[in-house]
Amino acid sequence: MKKMTGNEIRKSFLDFFQKKEHLLLPSASLIPQDDPSLLIIGAGMAPFKPFFTGKATPPSVRITTCQKCVRTGDIENVGRTARHHTYFEMLGNFSFGDYFKKEVIPWAWEWLTEELELPKDKLWVTIHTKDDEAFDIWTKDVGFPAERIVRLEDNFWDIGGGPCGPDSEIHIDLGPERGCGKPTCGPGCDCDRFLEIWNLVFTQFDHRPDGSYPQLKNKNIDTGAGLERIASVLQGCPSNFETDLMFPIIEYASAQSNKEYGKDKKTDISLKVIADHARSMTFMIGDGILPSNEGRGYVLRRILRRAVRHGRLLGIDKMFLAGAVDVVIKMFGEVYPDLKEKRDYIQKVIEMEETSFLRTLKQGTELLNEEIAKLQKEKKTVLDGGAAFRLNDTFGFPWELTLEILEENGMTMDKDGFDKALEKQRKMARDARDDKAGRPVIYNTRGLTGLKVDETAKGGKIIQLFPVRDAQPIEMAEDGKDVAVVTDVTAFHAEGGGQLGDLGTIVCPTGKIVVNTTKKLADGVVIMLGTVSEGTVKVGDKVTFDINYSRKNDIARNHTATHLMHAALKKVLGSHVNQAGSYVGPDRLRFDFSHFSSVTTEELAEVERLVNEEILAAKNVEIEELPIEEAKKKGATALFGEKYGKIVRVVTVPEFSMEFCGGTHVANTSHIGMFKILSESSSGAGVRRIEAVTGHGAVEYVKNMENMLNIMANDLKCRLDDVPTRLNVLQDELKAAHKKAEELAGEIAKSQIDDVLDKVQDFGGVKTLVQKVQADNIDALRNLGDQLRDKVNGAVVLAAEMDGKAVILAMATKEAVVKGIHAGNIVKEVAKLCGGGGGGRPDMAQAGAKDLSKLDNALKTAWDIIKNQVK
């Protein structure tokens, strides 16, 4: 058995299948492309689903990859078992209608036993109970012993419909010392003795709705071998965590916590959790995922915050995750060079999230510990769902983290109650979202070939027609029907990359379709969605296109301006700036980008100046299609999370901007007209947002500003040029008036103090004053209260009328508080008597009341309240 590093194993696998005429593809992003059914890529075959289903044509019938994967379905087991991870790498080889069992089984055996030199007598195989074909290949072609082949009913891959088939798993016997000792122990047992290292899936059936399983015309191969598992075998490690793919991170966490690995079970769990989660968060952020409270961003936040908590369990009382990222990048940076390029960005995102969570972790933990103590005292084991929700809502505790801490204490939580509290909070947002309308329709466009997008085309022919909410095609549609249309040639540009799709009209021989959006399906088919506005339309109709070109040109202005702004932001703020989202419509553009503080007024002005300089330079915008590697060498910018083919479209503004882009652009920068930034704000942790306008939108903005200034000049009775000077004069006059008012208020307060000091009474050594006074605002009342409390040197209760309501204030010296005075209880009782409420600290409190007619009598009771409080 060879001794190999994780990187060497990965290279060996990919090299092996390249020699078998497989196309090597880089790992896809963890963000699924055009697949709303997936949140995060969690399997090697996931990026290839359109190829397996026939929706799209693969670049080669043989492909091999090492795919980054994230799964969190059993995150609570991470660190507690030898094999559970959130991040892992899946080695795979795939055939799309090319080779099948007879080739892949011998290849698997060859790589394992000849390339890795695994001991043949330690390998076991499982197959489906009815897969005699696989049995014969294993025994006759490979020469594998029949007695080490186990037939299992579970060896069948089926997701409930569509392509499916039996599979064959390859296991290695790690020795009886790793087993359960049962006589039935073998592959499939829950113990750690027999480790599955490779699964070969034979996709040969089509699971039909009627329950039948006819043979597929084109049979496929999908295999997955866990890199970490194979590394643990070749490196002789008891678990994946001790391999070179993970252990350096454990060593880092061990050094940070001064805790030795392998000495204490609980310590080891926390060290393993940090090692696993550090890998996940590094790759997730590197692929463009940012922490949030929804979707994949929530998965990242949960992983990151769980790592922080385990750091605290180890006694790490400082920020440490950015250092863990350095270790991960050092381990994987050569294989995934984008990690090195994005190092600063990844660390900054993690630092911000770690800082944010640390602010509330201590408080939230203390609150949860109080709830646990309360449950223990009451001899209960279930935390109220509302309490769990408050931890989530107030302190950012993912409910899974709350449950995990509870389970560590032998308790659980009322998940239904939590869900109800969460649902109540989100009700408005949920009501605003039509789930049915939001569910994507996967139109059945299988078999369509030769379709073209030609934005200069005047017309085409309808080759498919669908009801807009139905995946199955129809032959015709009448006026009033919402339809989705596919034509052999289309001039409509599809929505994508933040750009809205084209609108317009499709004119048919006997009807019209008003197009209200244009989209591109997962298989690349452009589909126009709209309403039959008159007559009848049908498949086979020759049609003409009437696109809203005024709108399209406005979109082009905004899209090219977005590229210019992206480049300008990199120049002004730094190379860490990367696009994190965008909206390009006819009315405006919105650009989200990675940056960690608000953009200053001066920086925004410089970005705006740079963009307008490029517009005034009247540069021709160059658009070309290039092989992706050539485009990268030229310096073209690729966007986070985007998936590109072998040939990419590159949009260049000479000597300023070069990006991969499939969108609509102006022919010359001068066509943009003018660029004006409207606002800059935060869009999330580490993400800023700029909104801007160009062309017609910029002209409209200038007109509105001009109208506003004219109105101001008219109101100020001055010329337009004199508005700033006139405003400065008015501000100076206003400041002088405020100063005079404060002086008068001070004089009034002084006179009130002198007038009321003779009303002070003494209750058990606490000098007391209760008085109705004049005050224009809360601050004036508090100022008067401070002065009277110090003059009286005891307790004061004041009341004043403001805006038709009563404000009641109580203050007390430290000595008065020691003698029993509690200002909060005083104002609470007084305010209650005149229809109000309030409270506060023992030394200062405030309340409000609505019924002014009862204020005088309520104040009279304050004397007795204070008298009764004195000890």
Side-chain angles (χ1 to χ4, degrees), residues 614-629:
E614 291 302 305
I615 293 170
L616 293 171
K619 294 180 178 178
N620 287 331
V621 177
E622 300 169 359
I623 299 176
E624 57 184 337
E625 293 189 348
L626 297 170
I628 187 167
E629 292 306 321

Side-chain angles (χ1 to χ4, degrees), residues 363-649:
Q363 292 172 283
T365 303
E366 287 174 355
L367 181 60
L368 181 54
N369 287 339
E370 287 175 11
E371 294 289 344
I372 290 171
K374 194 187 300 180
L375 289 171
Q376 289 171 336
K377 187 176 180 180
E378 297 171 356
K379 295 185 178 179
K380 295 180 180 178
T381 59
V382 181
L383 178 68
D384 174 68
F389 177 72
R390 283 192 296 276
L391 279 166
N392 175 270
D393 193 41
T394 306
F395 299 104
F397 265 49
W399 69 264
E400 299 91 345
L401 179 56
T402 298
L403 179 61
E404 188 173 331
I405 296 171
L406 287 168
E407 288 177 341
E408 289 170 2
N409 289 272
M411 296 177 178
T412 187
M413 63 175 267
D414 173 16
K415 183 60 167 56
D416 288 340
F418 176 92
D419 290 340
K420 287 175 183 176
L422 180 63
E423 184 179 346
K424 184 178 180 181
Q425 186 195 58
R426 293 181 174 177
K427 188 174 188 305
M428 289 181 64
R430 190 175 62 252
D431 288 346
R433 183 176 67 243
D434 181 354
D435 287 335
K436 185 174 186 296
R439 191 179 302 123
V441 176
I442 309 300
Y443 296 106
N444 184 8
T445 56
R446 190 178 301 179
L448 292 184
T449 57
L451 303 183
K452 293 181 181 178
V453 176
D454 178 0
E455 296 192 18
T456 65
K458 301 299 181 184
K461 183 172 76 172
I462 297 177
I463 59 171
Q464 270 197 332
L465 195 62
F466 302 87
V468 78
R469 298 300 310 161
D470 194 334
Q472 296 308 313
I474 55 177
E475 289 299 313
M476 62 176 291
E478 299 173 339
D479 62 300
K481 299 295 184 182
D482 293 332
V483 294
V485 187
V486 179
T487 54
D488 59 346
V489 179
T490 183
F492 284 79
H493 189 91
E495 177 182 308
Q499 178 182 319
L500 299 185
D502 282 345
L503 307 184
T505 304
I506 298 175
V507 182
C508 310
T510 58
K512 286 184 181 179
I513 302 169
V514 176
V515 177
N516 52 44
T517 187
T518 304
K519 294 183 178 291
K520 182 180 284 188
L521 303 181
D523 57 1
V525 172
V526 173
I527 194 161
M528 290 76 75
L529 292 86
T531 303
V532 181
S533 61
E534 59 182 70
T536 302
V537 301
K538 61 182 183 297
V539 174
D541 278 353
K542 290 186 177 181
V543 300
T544 56
F545 305 131
D546 183 8
I547 292 172
N548 185 338
Y549 281 105
S550 175
R551 176 181 179 275
K552 183 167 185 155
N553 290 336
D554 284 338
I555 289 173
R557 292 184 182 97
N558 284 331
H559 202 154
T560 306
T562 300
H563 283 220
L564 295 176
M565 183 172 67
H566 190 185
L569 284 166
K570 283 181 176 288
K571 292 179 186 294
V572 175
L573 302 180
S575 60
H576 65 277
V577 168
N578 281 294
Q579 181 172 332
S582 69
Y583 164 88
V584 179
D587 53 335
R588 72 190 194 285
L589 65 93
R590 184 183 70 229
F591 187 73
D592 293 349
F593 58 97
S594 51
H595 191 55
F596 310 103
S597 60
S598 59
V599 185
T600 66
T601 303
E602 293 76 18
E603 289 168 336
L604 288 172
E606 179 61 10
V607 169
E608 196 173 88
R609 185 192 69 78
L610 287 171
V611 174
N612 281 311
E613 285 294 327
E614 291 302 305
I615 293 170
L616 293 171
K619 294 180 178 178
N620 287 331
V621 177
E622 300 169 359
I623 299 176
E624 57 184 337
E625 293 189 348
L626 297 170
I628 187 167
E629 292 306 321
E630 183 181 340
K632 286 180 178 179
K633 286 177 184 176
K634 290 183 71 172
T637 301
L639 302 182
F640 262 173
E642 289 294 324
K643 185 178 180 181
Y644 300 101
K646 289 182 180 179
I647 304 296
V648 293
R649 187 171 182 262

Side-chain angles (χ1 to χ4, degrees), residues 33 48 80 161 284 321 332 392 408 466 472 490 512 514 550 567 600 635 658 677 683 705 748 871:
Q33 301 298 308
F48 303 133
R80 300 177 187 278
M284 290 174 78
L321 289 180
F332 293 94
N392 175 270
E408 289 170 2
F466 302 87
Q472 296 308 313
T490 183
K512 286 184 181 179
V514 176
S550 175
T600 66
M658 184 186 295
I677 292 174
S683 176
M705 291 296 103
I748 292 170
K871 295 176 182 176

